[in-house]
Amino acid sequence: QVQLVESGGGLVQAGGSLRLSCAASGRTFSSYAMGWFRQAPGKEREFVAAITWSTRYADSVKGRFTISRDNAGNTVFLQMNSLKPEDTAVYYCAASRRRVIVTMKSEYDYWGQGTQITVSS
């Protein structure tokens, strides 16, 4: 069982930056693929970024967001730069037992509670 707790959300102006953190429980953190998803009001939850030993990004965030992980600290990060109003959403951290990059939410086994990001114009 893995428990995930996100932090770092908040309100930011367009063009600004935020860094999300996701702290994971468990001693096998390094074996999990980790991902970030987001869900805006009235929309489906969508893939943002994922990391194993490599990374993958949604086209909408490529070049602006960076996912990273600290296996010793059981933490995954999402650095978000050049934020836009359309980035406003609840952001979720997720863990997958699959040891490859996965982008579909159905492939993730554990989810955090989410953290709100609001980007004002």
Side-chain angles (χ1 to χ4, degrees):
Q1 189 77 6
V2 175
Q3 292 184 325
L4 304 172
V5 179
E6 301 100 334
S7 61
L11 173 65
V12 63
Q13 288 188 331
S17 298
L18 280 175
R19 189 192 197 204
L20 302 183
S21 299
C22 174
S25 65
R27 292 182 288 181
T28 59
F29 173 78
S30 62
S31 68
Y32 286 86
M34 299 298 297
W36 287 96
F37 287 74
R38 66 187 182 186
Q39 188 166 16
K43 294 189 176 181
E44 294 276 330
R45 191 171 300 188
E46 65 176 6
F47 170 76
V48 174
I51 186 168
T52 53
W53 301 110
S54 61
T55 59
R56 186 173 296 176
Y57 299 91
D59 288 343
S60 59
V61 306
K62 203 172 293 183
R64 300 187 298 122
F65 290 11
T66 302
I67 188 171
S68 61
R69 66 191 298 164
D70 173 7
N71 287 333
N74 281 17
T75 305
V76 63
F77 304 97
L78 186 68
Q79 177 67 44
M80 305 183 293
N81 299 329
S82 303
L83 283 160
K84 304 174 181 180
E86 51 263 44
D87 294 319
T88 294
V90 177
Y91 282 70
Y92 296 90
C93 173
S96 173
R97 288 191 293 261
R98 295 152 187 82
R99 300 191 181 202
V100 295
I101 292 283
V102 289
T103 62
M104 295 180 64
K105 52 184 182 289
S106 60
E107 295 174 306
Y108 284 82
D109 303 290
Y110 304 102
W111 292 85
Q113 81 288 351
T115 186
Q116 177 71 47
I117 302 296
T118 303
V119 184
S120 63
S121 57

